[in-house]
């Protein structure tokens, strides 16, 4: 069986096995979930070993007819763009399962079953090369995430889950209409109807058609990023979600939006992407500044980290629509960086919440003397998120700003303020939580991180150092696929006079 198929089926098989296990003892369920989640990670490492870094095309493909009457295929493949996003997904899932041992006490088996099913859907979304299959995985992701928020979330969990579902479904349905329209266009070709990625690349669409189709795809992806102003579901979802849900949501699910822009919206509709790039760049810069300012004034630790995601992913969108190899490589790299550093921050916030049962910054202070190990881990995660040289965030932000300045000098200069504001809200948060006097007696009774919690955090923060000090192995595998995608985009977009792009907007 092809390795990519095994990669998707292994968490599904794990979820089925876990569902068949007895509920008691709970400790056995937790250990089984951890072991089963390690299988996809092992397979993803095997995928990495087999991956040819010099090949810019899709590798390790699996292709079979699924619904032949409509040309729908089971079609999977991986390239340098999706490679490390798959690894990020399989890397974070066992860590989240281990982290949740301490804060999930009800319906434990169901929680881990949903986590494994969510992992399978996320992997399928990154690997699908049939657009209809991609849509199926895209929508399947919604179900376990909504249940994770709605069942194990906070006091307003139902509101947050419904809001997340409605936002995502609206964008997804518009994307489905666009996919079906493109599929209908392929039916006019000699090969007949089909939804394969390369078939969509070969479509001859008018600028007006590209404009509307790009808009449908872009809305779905902008909601998932989330891009300003369709970001309002994110703070509610993060605050109400359990810790594991927040980590997966920030670490992987948000990347579906930026990945979708790069994989589908930009190469499939190059004329529209080129024409509408200024608007998306403006929205990205607004998101960078707004997200940072909103994070600065948040009294809740989880909301602060949630708004920081709006700012950080604004940088990713800015890099993508700069259309330069450096900026796009920085964007892909920053997707990975954000998953690690923000995931670590959510893990740490969850750990201190389990001890103190509050996330309000004003309820802390003076923790350095009480929980020094926690303080050190929080400092590393905070500096990685802030882009300190030597840690992963710096590499991604530097590449994005250096590459985007060539295309958008003024917006990039404004976006640079997001780096400064990021340091402001992160350092100010750290100062209020960790330093100063102990003003609440409850804090004196806090215990430091356990061995299990340290094992949760060490791999994530170690990767922050590795990616900050030695980015070459990652970038050399990404760059050929990025160069190939941009070459095709520039050829298609450059062949159309700018006047036609303006005509499409009308």
């Amino acid at each position: 069986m092809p390795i990519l198929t095994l990669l998707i089926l292994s968490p599904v098989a794990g979820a089925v096995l876990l569902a068949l296990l007895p509920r008691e003892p709970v400790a056995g369920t937790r250990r089984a979930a951890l072991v089963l989640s390690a299988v996809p990670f092992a397979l993803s490492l095997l995928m990495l070993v087999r991956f040819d870094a010099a090949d810019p095309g899709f590798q390790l493909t699996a292709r079979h007819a699924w619904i032949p009457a409509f040309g729908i295929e089971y079609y999977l493949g991986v390239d340098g763009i999706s490679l490390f996003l798959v690894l990020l997904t399989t890397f974070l899932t066992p860590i989240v399962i281990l982290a949740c041992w301490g804060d999930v006490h009800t319906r434990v088996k169901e929680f881990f079953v949903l986590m494994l099913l969510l992992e399978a859907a996320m992997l399928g979304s990154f690997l699908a090369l049939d657009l209809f299959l991609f849509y199926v995985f895209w929508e399947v992701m919604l179900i376990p995430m909504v249940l994770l928020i709605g069942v194990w979330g906070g006091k307003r969990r139902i509101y947050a889950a419904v809001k997340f579902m409605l936002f995502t479904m609206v964008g997804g349905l518009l994307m489905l209409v666009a996919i079906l329209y493109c599929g209908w266009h392929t039916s006019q070709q000699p090969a007949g109807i089909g939804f394969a990625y390369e078939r969509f690349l070969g479509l001859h669409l008018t600028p007006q058609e590209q404009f509307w189709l790009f808009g449908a795809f872009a809305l779905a992806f902008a909601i998932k990023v989330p891009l300003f102003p369709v970001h309002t579901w994110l703070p509610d979802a993060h605050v109400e979600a359990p810790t594991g849900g927040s980590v997966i949501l920030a670490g992987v699910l948000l990347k579906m939006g930026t990945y979708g822009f790069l994989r589908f919206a930009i190469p499939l509709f190059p004329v529209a992407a080129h024409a509408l790039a200024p608007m998306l760049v403006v929205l990205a810069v607004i998101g960078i500044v707004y997200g940072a300012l909103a994070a600065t004034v948040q009294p809740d630790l989880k909301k602060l980290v949630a708004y920081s995601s709006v700012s950080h992913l604004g940088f990713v969108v800015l890099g993508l629509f700069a259309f330069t190899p450096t900026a796009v490589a920085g964007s892909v790299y920053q997707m990975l960086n954000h998953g690690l550093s923000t995931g670590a921050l959510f893990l740490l916030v969850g750990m201190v919440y389990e001890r103190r049962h509050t996330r309000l910054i004003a309820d802390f202070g003076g923790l350095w003397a009480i929980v020094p190990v926690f303080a050190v881990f929080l400092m590393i995660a905070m500096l990685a998120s802030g882009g300190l040289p030597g840690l992963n965030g710096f590499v991604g932000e530097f590449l994005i700003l250096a590459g985007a300045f060539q295309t958008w000098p003024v917006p990039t200069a404004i976006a640079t303020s997001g780096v400064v504001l990021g340091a402001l809200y992160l350092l100010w948060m750290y100062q209020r939580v960790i330093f100063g006097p102990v003003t609440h007696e409850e804090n004196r009774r806090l215990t430091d991180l356990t061995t299990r919690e340290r094992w949760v955090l060490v791999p994530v923060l170690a990767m922050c150092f590795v990616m900050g000090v030695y980015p070459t192995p990652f970038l050399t595998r990404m760059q050929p696929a990025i160069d190939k995608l941009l070459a095709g985009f520039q050829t298609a977009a450059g062949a159309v006079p700018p006047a036609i792009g303006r005509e499409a907007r009308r």
Side-chain angles (χ1 to χ4, degrees):
M1 187 177 291
I3 188 170
L4 299 187
T5 299
L6 284 173
L7 195 54
I8 295 172
L9 290 181
S10 58
V12 176
V16 172
L17 289 173
L18 199 60
L20 296 175
L21 292 178
R23 292 182 180 276
E24 300 294 338
V26 173
T29 302
R30 290 170 174 158
R31 284 193 291 269
L34 181 62
V35 172
L36 291 168
S37 67
V39 175
F41 180 58
L43 289 170
S44 67
L45 293 177
L46 180 60
M47 175 194 70
L48 178 63
V49 171
R50 293 184 180 180
F51 187 82
D52 181 2
D55 184 355
F58 293 106
Q59 304 179 38
L60 307 173
T61 56
R63 191 169 190 175
H64 307 281
W66 181 23
I67 311 176
F70 296 100
I72 298 172
E73 299 176 279
Y74 172 80
Y75 184 16
L76 306 177
V78 64
D79 68 351
I81 295 171
S82 55
L83 174 68
F84 290 108
L85 291 169
V86 170
L87 281 160
L88 176 68
T89 305
T90 61
F91 175 72
L92 284 180
T93 303
I95 287 171
V96 167
I97 286 176
L98 183 59
C100 291
W101 283 16
D103 57 5
V104 175
H105 305 288
T106 59
R107 299 186 179 94
V108 175
K109 183 170 73 171
E110 288 85 351
F111 180 89
F112 292 132
V113 166
L114 289 173
M115 286 295 302
L116 291 170
L117 293 175
L118 178 59
E119 180 184 21
M122 293 186 297
L123 291 172
S125 298
F126 286 132
L127 296 172
L129 294 180
D130 180 282
L131 271 290
F132 193 87
L133 180 65
F134 168 76
Y135 175 77
V136 169
F137 282 123
W138 176 274
E139 290 299 315
V140 168
M141 279 190 304
L142 181 63
I143 300 169
M145 193 68 234
V146 167
L147 290 173
L148 287 171
I149 297 171
V151 177
W152 290 272
K155 294 179 180 178
R156 299 174 71 243
R157 59 185 180 273
I158 302 301
Y159 167 78
V162 170
K163 189 174 182 179
F164 168 68
M165 180 178 68
L166 290 176
F167 267 77
T168 308
M169 283 190 67
V170 168
L173 288 172
L174 289 174
M175 181 171 65
L176 175 62
V177 172
I179 290 171
L180 294 175
Y181 183 87
C182 291
W184 172 77
H185 255 276
T186 64
S187 67
Q188 303 173 31
Q189 298 176 351
I193 190 170
F195 291 85
Y197 182 68
E198 59 267 24
R199 295 287 302 278
F200 279 31
L201 280 176
L203 287 177
H204 298 290
L205 301 167
T206 66
Q208 289 81 6
E209 286 175 316
Q210 286 205 28
F211 173 79
W212 290 108
L213 294 169
F214 177 85
F217 273 80
L219 180 61
F221 299 145
I223 289 171
K224 192 74 89 174
V225 169
L227 188 65
F228 179 91
V230 289
H231 66 285
T232 56
W233 63 268
L234 180 68
D236 293 309
H238 269 314
V239 169
E240 301 304 324
T243 298
S246 291
V247 175
I248 292 297
L249 185 60
V252 184
L253 251 69
L254 303 188
K255 311 310 177 297
M256 295 296 172
T258 48
Y259 171 79
F261 272 119
L262 182 58
R263 171 66 74 219
F264 301 111
I266 292 174
L268 295 184
F269 316 111
V271 175
H274 187 268
L276 295 174
M279 181 187 72
L280 287 159
V281 166
V282 169
L283 293 177
V285 173
I286 292 173
I288 290 168
V289 178
Y290 164 79
L293 290 173
T296 304
V297 299
Q298 293 306 313
D300 184 292
L301 281 168
K302 221 175 185 186
K303 267 199 173 180
L304 183 150
V305 181
Y307 275 106
S308 76
S309 294
V310 177
S311 183
H312 286 141
L313 289 167
F315 280 104
V316 176
V317 175
L318 171 63
L320 293 179
F321 285 91
F323 305 130
T324 64
T326 301
V328 174
S331 291
V332 178
Y333 205 75
Q334 190 66 2
M335 293 183 212
L336 307 177
N337 296 337
H338 179 265
L340 294 172
S341 56
T342 305
L345 286 172
F346 275 120
L347 287 169
L348 286 157
V349 171
M351 290 170 184
V352 77
Y353 177 77
E354 285 303 307
R355 290 161 166 78
R356 189 68 170 78
H357 300 292
T358 179
R359 292 188 299 263
L360 295 178
I361 295 173
D363 290 338
F364 296 101
L367 298 190
W368 184 271
I370 301 167
V371 283
V373 177
F374 171 84
V376 170
F377 279 112
L378 181 61
M379 178 179 65
I380 297 171
M382 177 266 298
L383 293 175
S385 181
L388 181 75
L391 289 166
N392 56 344
F394 173 77
V395 179
E397 288 182 354
F398 176 80
L399 291 174
I400 290 170
L401 294 174
F405 191 81
Q406 303 171 36
T407 310
W408 309 105
V410 174
T412 303
I414 298 171
T416 306
S417 65
V419 179
V420 180
L421 291 170
L424 169 65
Y425 65 73
L426 287 167
L427 290 170
W428 190 32
M429 174 274 291
Y430 192 79
Q431 183 267 327
R432 288 178 289 167
V433 171
I434 300 300
F435 296 123
V438 179
T439 55
H440 298 274
E441 287 302 313
E442 297 93 329
N443 292 330
R444 296 187 186 278
R445 296 190 291 272
L446 294 179
T447 57
D448 214 337
L449 298 182
T450 64
T451 303
R452 175 184 59 81
E453 290 169 330
R454 297 181 195 190
W455 275 109
V456 166
L457 292 166
V458 165
V460 181
L461 297 180
M463 286 305 302
C464 291
F465 280 106
V466 170
M467 295 183 68
V469 175
Y470 191 41
T472 303
F474 301 88
L475 295 174
T476 53
R477 287 168 172 78
M478 298 173 186
Q479 204 66 56
I482 292 170
D483 291 342
K484 179 183 178 182
L485 185 148
L486 289 178
F489 166 79
Q490 297 292 356
T491 300
V496 180
I500 296 181
R502 293 194 293 272
E503 197 177 294
R505 288 197 294 274
R506 290 199 293 271

